[in-house]
Amino acid sequence: DSGVTQTPKHLITATGQRVTLRCSPRSGDLSVYWYQQSLDQGLQFLIQYYNGEERAKGNILERFSAQQFPDLHSELNLSSLELGDSALYFCASSALSKQGEAFFGQGTRLTVV
Amino acid sequence: QKEVEQDPGPLSVPEGAIVSLNCTYSNSAFQYFMWYRQYSRKGPELLMYTYSSGNKEDGRFTAQVDKSSKYISLFIRDSQPSDSATYLCAMSALQGGKLIFGQGTELSVKP
């Protein structure tokens, strides 16, 4: 168990809908990352937050947004969902004060129908 | 061209074999190198973490980084069927920065 908790584990929703994925980082980790893993694209970096502030941004679609709350949990919001958004979404956390290794949660499997 | 290239395999070896997994990269700014193991699209599990060039050993696993060649390797000694998984290399330019992943190599260790 990495200590990173993601909910829900599975999500099935229709095109055009909006969903929220939740991540609780390891105790003490201030940095949270979101990644998308699809069959043909591998693991793609979406966005990173550090202590509530956006730190780095990848190729995240404008329909997607994220935030990190004062208690350090993070949410990834996906809106106007399309079939192509079906993927595994992973959250990771790290303690930048140490070496900065990232530990991953078990992911949320999103299926858009 | 992708920043990180990794042969997707699949790679099949007999139990007890030495496995060699490799990645090449193009971005000379990468300083931090990691290997993750992923079972059946579960969460990636961190195996090895290396800063800059050199070797690092942990049990049956050895990670090597050659920055001059932009080439990293993971060796698994005495491979076991439980090692069957997808192995992902990942790299970052900054400590705690975003990770750029390879495509992953699917490994199967046959009893």
Side-chain angles (χ1 to χ4, degrees), chain A residues 33 35 37 48 98-99 101-102, chain B residues 36 38 43 49 95-96 99:
Chain A
Y33 315 75
Y35 289 84
Q37 187 176 38
Q48 179 190 6
K98 297 180 182 176
Q99 294 188 91
E101 308 103 305
Chain B
Y36 286 85
Q38 186 178 29
Y49 179 96
Q95 180 176 330
L99 296 177

Side-chain angles (χ1 to χ4, degrees), chain B residues 34-53:
Chain B
M34 283 137 277
W35 286 94
Y36 286 85
R37 178 173 62 194
Q38 186 178 29
Y39 291 112
S40 301
R41 297 176 73 74
K42 302 290 187 187
E45 173 193 4
L46 181 64
L47 286 177
M48 301 290 282
Y49 179 96
T50 310
Y51 169 67
S52 195
S53 285

